[in-house]
Amino acid sequence: MKRTHALTGLAVLLTLASPSALMAKTFVYCSEGSPENFTPAINTTGTSFDAARPVYDQLVQFQRGTTKVEPGLAESWAFSDDGKTITFKLRKGVAFHSGVNNFKPTRDFNADDVIWSFERQSRPDHPYSKVSGGKYDYFNDMDMPKLIESMTKTDDYTIVLKLKAPTAPILANLAMDFATIHSKEYADMLEKAGKKEQFDQIPVGTGPFSFVAYQKDAVIRYKANPSYWGEKAGVDDLVYAITPDPTARYAKTKAGECHFMMAPRPADLAEMSKDKALKVLSQPGLNIAYWAMNTQKPPFDKKEVRQAMNMAIDKAAIIRDVYLGTGQVAKNLIPPTMWSYNDAVKDYPYDPAKAKEMLEKAGVKLPLEIDLWYMPVQRPYNPNAKRIAEMMQADLAKVGVTAKLVTYEWGEYRKRAQAGEALTVQLGWTGDNGDPDNFFFLRGCQDGKAGAQNLPKWCNAEFDSILAKAKQLSDQAERAKLYERAQVILKDEAPDLTLAHSVVYEVMRAEVEGYKQTPLGGHHFKGVTVK
């Protein structure tokens, strides 16, 4: 069998265990899962976004560790008086990675790359539109086709973006991963060679690290980009050691085989905090864990049934026994740390007797059999999806509902859930840009059709009208009033059970310096060094 140039899992451990000079120049991240590919525009998970982030840049970006938008590949921008036109001045002298997949760029980044990257997502006749499945869920679910009138260049370093209406979160949206800028020249090279499928698997960008190799389900390797225009990489090599099990991630980090790990088990935090070789980081997460009910399938097409399910689950017990103090019960889709949070909303009480009574009044014949999908991976907003599913299963049994637990491989799980296969399904969300719209769009519909991220497949005309109006307002207080009403609608309609907002914990070796937690849930390793 032909060997790849990627390090095997064993080789990673051997390299890190040696006291050579390489140790100080290599940073190893114990990640929790495998990326589907390396093109953010066709992904929706933090796992895949994290794998792409070292390689790419956007026009604008979030200042590391904050939700503040700052210049990226665009060094400046200006709005027209009516708020409908944004003129971006692009950064000059930015080079794409050279040598990746035998690609040697003949020019620097320019406006053609920006146009190409957005048109791939918006133009069905684009040469890469159908590559890798041709689904651009973020771009479409966030109504970008409805927001953008046109994107044109006036010269190689000026982009003019015209909007159909003023859009308050537009800059924050453009700092998100789906708005990543790719190399048109690299794409053209692969197209000419008949190898377009390699574009999303062997990435070329302008980011702080360039891609080296990926061994599926084992390791991803990157090297520092010495000519990076922005904050330089503080290490020579970046390695993602893919380690799905949180106990294994802890063991590797404790042993010095990894420098950083995400999503520790809540049960391990006390021990980790006492270990002087480790640093435990934490901050309130901009996140939500939820249990969605497919409103297109009986009996969940009835609001009363969904409300009854909300009363059947003991959320407080789940927070106590699974989150172990690292989360709080969620009554709204957005966390209480986010502006526009409606604290006046009343959550459904845990009341099994009332839940069973409501099911019977709704005409549901008991016992009712349903499927309950649980995630196969640990996420920052959900430390143990299977255990939560088992607790929900026990609660549902008390009201005459028999829940069959179902799961799939992570990529397949999300694909099937987005297609509406599940009757009920666990998932969650970590905000991408700090704007409430980035949560509420999860339950939005375009022209009465639920987006891929809308797992309950629930549509409500008033709710959609609120979201559309709020985007066009610049006054935050007025936007907040609209979002407060949206939360009332969501709670009454109950397309899902809002389960928890978690505190996000991450653990790193004491010798790591320069890492900043982001409220947006991603992991960024430029500027990170190892003593």
Side-chain angles (χ1 to χ4, degrees), residues 208-209 224-235 525-529:
F209 293 91
N225 175 9
S227 60
Y228 186 55
W229 61 268
E231 184 181 19
K232 298 290 194 294
V235 294
F525 299 114
K526 61 183 177 182
V528 175
T529 59

Side-chain angles (χ1 to χ4, degrees), residues 4 15 33 38 42 67 73 99 103 183 216-217 281 298 322 329-330 341-342 352 367 369 393 412 419 457 470 504:
T4 69
T15 299
F38 292 87
I42 55 178
T67 59
L73 290 176
F103 173 63
S183 167
K216 185 173 173 56
D217 300 331
L281 310 176
V322 180
V329 169
Y341 183 80
N342 190 347
E369 294 186 359
Q393 183 184 47
E412 189 71 11
K457 306 306 175 187
V504 176

